[in-house]
Amino acid sequence: MATFLYKIGRMSFRRRHFVALLWVALVTLAGVGAASAPAAGNSSFSIPGTEAQKAFDLLEQRFPGTSADGATARVVFKAPSGEKMTDPGNKATVQETVKELSDGSEVVRVTDPYQAKAVSKDGTVAYAQVSYKVSGMELEDSSRDALEDSAQDARKAGLTVEIGGDALQTVPHTGTTEIIGIAVAAVVLVITFGSLVAAGLPLLTALVGVGIGVSAITALASALDLGSTTSTLAMMIGLAVGIDYALFIVSRYRAELAEGRDREEAAGRAVGTAGSAVVFAGLTVVIALVGLSVVNIPMLTKMGVAAAGTVAIAVLIALTMVPALLGYAGRRVKPAGEKGRLLGRSRKQEKPAKPNLGTRWASFVVRRPVAVLLLGVIGLGAAAVPAASLELGLPDDGSQPTSTTQRRAYDLLSEGFGPGFNGPLMVVVDAQHSDDPKAAFTQVGDEIKGLKDVVTVTPPAPNKAGDTATITVIPDSKPSSVATEDLVHSIRDKGAGIKADSDANVLVTGQTAMNIDVSEKLNDALIPYLVLVVGLAFLLLIVVFRSILVPLKAALGFLLSVMAALGAVVAVFQWGWLADLMGVEQTGPVMSMMPIFMVGVVFGLAMDYEVFLVTRMREAYVHGEKAGQAVVTGFRHGARVVTAAAVIMMAVFAGFIGSSESMVKMIGFGLAIAVFFDAFIVRMAIVPAVLALLGRKAWWLPRWLDRALPNVDVEGEGLRSDTDRGDQDRELVRA
């Protein structure tokens, strides 16, 4: 591996014009493809295998043209103080609004509040429900504009009007903090390298990689139904790892220059050694992201695969484009230890410098491994405590900020009709094989009326064939409550008995039931996903480190950091700690996909630092140093760069906290805090402490396994043999 990558690095440095032209061509091709591709809306949302999805599919067959899974909007009206919605003037305004809403090209139907009895008992609140042909993620902007314009016209007449439902879903924006994250990364790179040129290389290559990845996603969005939100994760992960991978190559290049090698040789060695770590670190991230497909949620699978493709591009750029740009930079990239003009005159230090901070810290840890280990584990354990109170759910309008019309509509409906009115359940009764469908419909309605937490059960509404009916159930509790979840399960339990009595299938669907099914599906997939991803990466790390205990320690350290990160997410987004600082306007259950998402992404990123830091230790150990000294050597060469990489990743992820979308905000915070815990506590404290305690045993591998495993030579031993043997022979001849 090292020898092969060494040749790629030298070739890219030597033929830099060709390599640069190739990447420019790829950027141009991807950009042209994105610009000429048909505009894609948001991807369709489906959850295969869930009861709610089966019910939606059945409704499409038995109630053709009704668009059962189409978007809905609830236009909620409130009368001025002292008036009622049944007053003639207010009634005329509402009916005029209903007429305007009915004219939309994507509208299927609009209910009149006065005919549908959608006026509260006190007469102050009423609502009109608008049903669309397509889902909220596929709705045209013109339909949303018409909806908001109609509401504005009613407001001018003196009514309070708010709009709820999924019809107002929009593509989230990340805000200016994302740019701040990139600016922080630039500052960290300048401080790390002391040169604008050296600092600019990782930023430039990362932007090229993200540009190609996002442009390719945009170009393929329509054909593959990727949607406009798929690129969010790809941009977030691709930018972070792109900067980090280039950072490690450039840092190793400067170290090789400091040892007296010419620039082409230094580029080859940098790619051969640090590039090997980049390849395996990238593989762990790709495994974690592609592994999201085991959840069997198409949207999540597409996001994972798209992000994995962007990571793969970042790896290729680090191995080829970075050495090519180093060739163009020439002497403007200084050897390690030599300051550039930005931070001082270009000169080498004449007297030996004192040990750097990484060396001093590693030496301290090697002397006090037990104390450091206990402090790190106890600290992460304390941070993980809130995770015991983790509540999972998917967001509804009740989790929106109070400044939004969706949240205000939610509150008005709760005020006028009760909290459960915001999450109606749709019960579908399939009586196609029943001897008496009408009796089956009636039985289902009667059974549901007797359940706890039920406020209203509408009469069955059969289709034209009379073999399928829908029943709307209004719970007494809000959609995200445990009581509503229990009601869904109770209806399904009753359905099993009805099936035995009348051969009629009872299915529960609707947005609330879909959210419950998604949460359960994600929870059920967490353990298999964890086993798959950690298992594959564990095998990969055995090959990299040729050790059993080092990969095991890496996996256990990851579990500590991810649990601590989940604890922090619960504290901020569920308990409300520091909510104002993070811009969290409404606390509530943690996103149900957050645990499995964090497991995947954080594991991949955690293995990045493990590979980068520990390969330096392994390299020193293989080249003859004692186990304890190898730990110190690894930190002397890698701690500064790993620290810079972690700060950059944290800055990039934290930039997404400014997003308007609660899911993106939560992901950005979760990944940023997870990188902090993993890089600075697990990898910088717990890892060296454990390795110091294990000593030589850390690098133990059974002989039979050593013979069976392929030798990938991450440490660059092959390079040492090929390029250094001649120097060593000449030294012997002189002697």
Side-chain angles (χ1 to χ4, degrees):
M1 170 71 79
T3 303
F4 173 70
L5 294 178
Y6 166 79
K7 293 177 181 177
I8 289 179
R10 292 198 63 165
M11 184 273 293
S12 299
F13 185 95
R14 189 168 54 250
R15 300 189 177 181
R16 48 188 172 272
H17 301 311
F18 171 76
V19 173
L21 185 62
L22 178 63
W23 282 111
V24 169
L26 288 175
V27 171
T28 304
L29 182 64
V32 170
S36 59
N42 292 281
S43 61
S44 56
F45 186 78
S46 64
I47 312 295
T50 61
E51 180 172 315
Q53 187 64 50
K54 291 177 183 176
F56 276 135
D57 296 339
L58 181 65
L59 288 171
E60 287 291 335
Q61 298 174 13
R62 306 288 173 83
F63 293 82
T66 58
S67 302
D69 60 348
T72 59
R74 280 181 170 180
V75 183
V76 187
F77 306 89
K78 184 176 182 180
S81 179
E83 299 182 17
K84 294 185 180 296
M85 290 305 305
T86 51
D87 293 346
N90 294 336
K91 187 174 181 179
T93 299
V94 171
Q95 290 176 331
E96 179 64 28
T97 303
V98 169
K99 183 179 178 182
E100 289 180 19
L101 291 170
S102 302
D103 295 336
S105 60
E106 293 183 309
V107 174
V108 175
R109 61 185 173 276
V110 182
T111 60
D112 186 318
Y114 304 101
Q115 295 178 5
K117 298 181 179 179
V119 181
S120 64
K121 290 182 180 180
D122 63 4
T124 60
V125 179
Y127 73 91
Q129 181 152 313
V130 187
S131 301
Y132 293 90
K133 298 176 183 177
V134 296
S135 69
M137 303 182 78
E138 300 170 302
L139 203 62
E140 295 288 340
D141 288 339
S142 58
S143 296
R144 293 193 184 93
D145 293 340
L147 180 63
E148 292 174 341
D149 290 343
S150 298
Q152 187 60 36
D153 291 341
R155 291 189 188 107
K156 292 177 181 177
L159 297 178
T160 298
V161 187
E162 305 296 347
I163 305 170
D166 59 353
L168 292 183
Q169 284 182 335
T170 56
V171 179
H173 62 274
T174 54
T176 57
T177 49
E178 180 188 348
I179 300 173
I180 296 174
I182 297 176
V184 171
V187 172
V188 172
L189 287 169
V190 170
I191 294 173
T192 302
F193 292 134
S195 163
L196 285 175
V197 175
L201 289 180
L203 281 176
L204 175 61
T205 54
L207 291 173
V208 168
V210 169
I212 293 174
V214 173
S215 296
I217 291 169
T218 305
L220 299 173
S222 179
L224 301 181
D225 191 28
L226 297 180
S228 54
T229 58
T230 308
S231 60
T232 302
L233 178 62
M235 182 186 302
M236 186 187 296
I237 302 297
L239 192 60
V241 300
I243 294 174
D244 280 6
Y245 294 166
L247 168 64
F248 280 96
I249 298 290
V250 174
S251 177
R252 187 59 184 254
Y253 171 76
R254 296 176 72 235
E256 296 293 337
L257 288 178
E259 293 183 10
R261 294 186 174 88
D262 66 68
R263 294 185 178 276
E264 183 177 329
E265 177 68 15
R269 279 179 168 266
V271 175
T273 51
S276 297
V278 165
V279 169
F280 284 100
L283 275 176
T284 59
V285 180
V286 168
I287 288 172
L289 291 170
V290 174
L292 290 171
S293 58
V294 304
V295 184
N296 196 26
I297 295 180
M299 183 184 73
L300 198 58
T301 299
K302 292 171 184 176
M303 288 177 69
V305 172
T310 307
V311 171
I313 293 171
V315 171
L316 292 175
I317 284 178
L319 300 179
T320 57
M321 187 177 182
V322 170
L325 293 180
L326 288 172
Y328 283 116
R331 296 183 179 277
R332 286 184 290 272
V333 176
K334 306 295 181 182
E338 187 174 336
K339 295 182 179 180
R341 292 181 180 177
L342 185 65
L343 298 181
R345 289 184 301 173
S346 179
R347 55 184 173 80
K348 290 186 178 180
Q349 298 172 351
E350 296 181 359
K351 50 184 179 181
K354 66 178 182 179
N356 61 21
L357 181 60
T359 303
R360 299 197 300 274
W361 169 249
S363 300
F364 170 78
V365 174
V366 170
R367 290 196 306 270
R368 302 283 189 273
V370 176
V372 173
L373 178 61
L374 288 176
L375 190 61
V377 172
I378 292 172
L380 289 178
V385 167
S389 303
L390 178 67
E391 295 178 9
L392 298 176
L394 286 178
D396 56 24
D397 286 348
S399 62
Q400 296 274 2
T402 53
S403 58
T404 62
T405 185
Q406 295 98 319
R407 173 59 187 275
R408 291 195 292 265
Y410 181 98
D411 292 340
L412 283 177
L413 285 173
S414 296
E415 174 189 330
F417 301 93
F421 214 79
N422 285 290
L425 306 175
M426 180 181 289
V427 178
V428 182
V429 186
D430 178 10
Q432 191 175 53
H433 302 293
S434 176
D435 295 332
D436 190 352
K438 289 185 178 180
F441 300 155
T442 302
Q443 180 185 1
V444 172
D446 292 341
E447 293 275 5
I448 294 174
K449 287 177 183 177
L451 294 175
K452 183 182 178 182
D453 204 52
V454 172
V455 174
T456 305
V457 178
T458 64
N463 62 350
K464 290 182 180 179
D467 59 2
T468 307
T470 60
I471 300 173
T472 300
V473 179
I474 306 298
D476 189 38
S477 304
K478 64 181 182 179
S480 59
S481 68
V482 175
T484 300
E485 183 177 347
D486 292 341
L487 176 60
V488 170
H489 291 306
S490 297
I491 295 173
R492 288 171 175 171
D493 291 341
K494 288 289 184 182
I498 294 170
K499 170 70 174 176
D501 293 341
S502 61
D503 275 338
N505 286 323
V506 179
L507 304 172
V508 185
T509 188
Q511 190 61 50
T512 301
M514 179 68 83
N515 288 351
I516 292 170
D517 286 353
V518 169
S519 297
E520 292 179 352
K521 190 179 182 71
L522 288 165
N523 289 340
D524 293 342
L526 181 58
I527 298 301
Y529 174 71
L530 191 62
V531 171
L532 173 69
V533 171
V534 175
L536 288 176
F538 181 78
L539 295 176
L540 185 66
L541 292 178
I542 289 177
V543 174
V544 174
F545 296 126
R546 309 197 75 78
S547 163
I548 297 292
L549 295 179
V550 171
L552 180 61
K553 173 252 329 158
L556 293 176
F558 151 73
L559 291 176
L560 270 175
S561 59
V562 79
M563 288 304 298
L566 275 176
V569 169
V570 169
V572 173
F573 290 88
Q574 187 175 309
W575 292 359
W577 293 6
L578 302 177
D580 292 339
L581 182 63
M582 297 295 155
V584 180
E585 297 186 40
Q586 182 64 36
T587 59
V590 172
M591 210 80 58
S592 55
M593 67 175 62
M594 194 65 187
I596 197 166
F597 187 82
M598 283 190 67
V599 164
V601 177
V602 174
F603 183 78
L605 299 179
M607 293 307 103
D608 271 5
Y609 301 117
E610 181 74 13
V611 170
F612 287 134
L613 195 59
V614 180
T615 47
R616 269 291 197 171
M617 301 178 190
R618 170 75 181 171
E619 184 177 340
Y621 179 77
V622 167
H623 291 165
E625 292 188 7
K626 293 182 179 180
Q629 183 57 39
V631 172
V632 177
T633 300
F635 267 76
R636 182 172 69 249
H637 292 295
R640 178 183 176 89
V641 182
V642 169
T643 300
V647 172
I648 289 169
M649 268 201 183
M650 289 169 58
V652 172
F653 291 144
F656 288 84
I657 295 175
S659 174
S660 62
E661 175 62 42
S662 59
M663 176 181 171
V664 176
K665 182 189 293 287
M666 190 179 294
I667 289 173
F669 172 80
L671 293 184
I673 199 70
V675 168
F676 172 77
F677 287 146
D678 196 85
F680 293 105
I681 299 180
V682 174
R683 308 304 153 189
M684 291 290 186
I686 294 177
V687 166
V690 171
L691 291 177
L693 288 171
L694 291 175
R696 295 184 62 183
K697 295 177 183 177
W699 309 108
W700 172 79
L701 186 69
R703 290 186 179 180
W704 63 268
L705 185 57
D706 189 29
R707 291 192 298 268
L709 292 176
N711 184 12
V712 295
D713 188 22
V714 177
E715 304 83 19
E717 184 63 27
L719 299 182
R720 183 183 177 92
S721 300
D722 292 341
T723 61
D724 293 350
R725 187 178 293 114
D727 294 339
Q728 293 174 354
D729 290 345
R730 282 189 289 274
E731 291 289 337
L732 290 173
V733 168
R734 291 194 195 99

